[in-house]
Amino acid sequence: PANDIDSLRRPLIAGSEKVQQQIIPQLAELGNEGLDVLMEFLLKRRENPATWIDGKAYQVLYNSDAPQAKEFLRSCFPEGIVPLKSECGINYNSLQQLLAVQDFQAADRVTIEKMCELSGPTAVQRKWLYFTEVEKTSAVDLQTINNLWLVHSEGKFGFSVQREIWLSLGKNWENFWPKIGWKAGNTWTRYPNEFTWDLSAPRGHLPLSNQLRGVRVFASLLSHPAWTQL
Ligand code: UYC
């Protein structure tokens, strides 16, 4: 395995994202020595904002039973790979943990709850948002939620991904819904079982935003200043 390790270590550090994406699961198969390389990799990249490649490496360590991996994460990344910045005193730990184990369905529910928490106790009780509340939502907190989704989904999921697709379609909702797998023909995708709760979903499929009360809340979210301040 020493040979395998050496031939993977270099391209992991210097390779393209595509190469890195292929190497991370190979290292995960190589036991403790593979984990050591992933730890070294994450430490080297620590000064830079986390990308989905960091997310992949983090997930291998997070989902490993090896004591050295647990100890490393406890001392170097105690709150996870994405910094959990909040202006509103909200804790995004549970969201990071669900995303790190790729439980996208539970993470989606927690996202809806956190969005309500961000708007205050009346929204928490109501369990859904007014567009006027979304407009006032903290950009820092929205960016944190979005980064969590991006980093833990190979860059596939998140509000900013949805926004990019929506803009590329000239904000045309009828073209947007089928593109992100929320509608097929005239039929809405049914919650929860018809949605795709893994990375085989189309780009922008998650997180969900219920359209039962109209499109205005989602339009506010995708137009939020958080996405142009990035
Ligand atoms: N649901 O169909 N949705 C719910 C979506 C619609 C409906 C929750 C998304 C269309 C009802 C989430 C789509 C529609 C409930 C989503 C979708 C509809 C419900 C749980 C594709 C009927 C029960 C969180 C656009 C034609 C709750 C929550 C209620 C729930 C998401 C029906 C996350 C993305 C127009 C009856 N749907 N939803 O908000 O309020 O309750 O009665 O979007």
Side-chain angles (χ1 to χ4, degrees):
N3 231 344
D4 291 352
I5 296 274
D6 284 339
S7 64
L8 294 175
R9 196 176 159 277
R10 223 178 283 270
L12 176 69
I13 288 161
S16 67
E17 275 192 346
K18 218 180 173 84
V19 167
Q20 291 170 326
Q21 179 183 21
Q22 288 166 348
I23 287 176
I24 290 167
Q26 295 179 44
L27 283 165
E29 305 270 291
L30 291 178
N32 287 343
E33 285 176 85
L35 297 179
D36 283 338
V37 175
L38 292 174
M39 292 184 234
E40 179 199 356
F41 178 66
L42 284 184
L43 278 183
K44 266 207 171 80
R45 292 163 58 101
R46 217 177 171 184
E47 314 305 324
N48 305 96
T51 70
W52 64 265
I53 291 292
D54 301 281
K56 274 257 156 302
Y58 174 82
Q59 285 164 16
V60 169
L61 297 170
Y62 187 85
N63 293 301
S64 157
D65 295 324
Q68 82 210 83
K70 295 207 182 307
E71 175 54 26
F72 171 81
L73 294 182
R74 196 191 57 75
S75 65
C76 300
F77 295 94
E79 66 171 23
I81 190 75
V82 176
L84 303 181
K85 289 185 211 146
S86 173
E87 281 181 340
C88 312
I90 294 180
N91 188 340
Y92 296 105
N93 233 316
S94 57
L95 182 56
Q96 176 123 265
Q97 286 172 17
L98 290 167
L99 289 168
V101 299
Q102 308 276 280
D103 186 344
F104 291 115
Q105 186 167 355
D108 186 64
R109 289 315 295 234
V110 170
T111 299
I112 294 169
E113 284 165 24
K114 293 292 168 189
M115 296 286 288
C116 288
E117 266 186 63
L118 272 172
S119 292
T122 49
V124 170
Q125 272 210 321
R126 195 192 312 126
K127 295 186 183 347
W128 50 275
L129 296 170
Y130 291 127
F131 77 92
T132 46
E133 293 171 319
V134 173
E135 286 171 350
K136 286 185 281 183
T137 299
S138 156
V140 167
D141 286 66
L142 282 182
Q143 287 169 5
T144 297
I145 294 173
N146 188 55
N147 282 333
L148 282 166
W149 278 95
L150 277 176
V151 166
H152 289 290
S153 70
E154 303 185 351
K156 227 174 173 178
F157 300 147
F159 303 128
S160 63
V161 177
Q162 293 168 336
R163 168 187 159 88
E164 187 193 303
I165 297 168
W166 180 60
L167 292 180
S168 79
L169 298 171
K171 304 189 181 180
N172 181 311
W173 296 108
E174 287 316 308
N175 294 341
F176 181 59
W177 304 132
K179 191 88 184 167
I180 62 171
W182 288 9
K183 204 174 186 179
N186 280 327
T187 317
W188 290 107
T189 304
R190 290 183 59 177
Y191 182 83
N193 290 335
E194 286 179 5
F195 289 92
T196 304
W197 302 105
D198 58 53
L199 291 175
S200 70
R203 277 186 80 230
H205 191 61
L206 300 174
L208 299 184
S209 144
N210 193 356
Q211 298 306 308
L212 199 56
R213 296 173 191 86
V215 80
R216 198 136 182 210
V217 169
F218 199 26
S220 288
L221 182 57
L222 299 186
S223 310
H224 196 282
W227 318 128
T228 44
Q229 285 169 14
L230 280 171

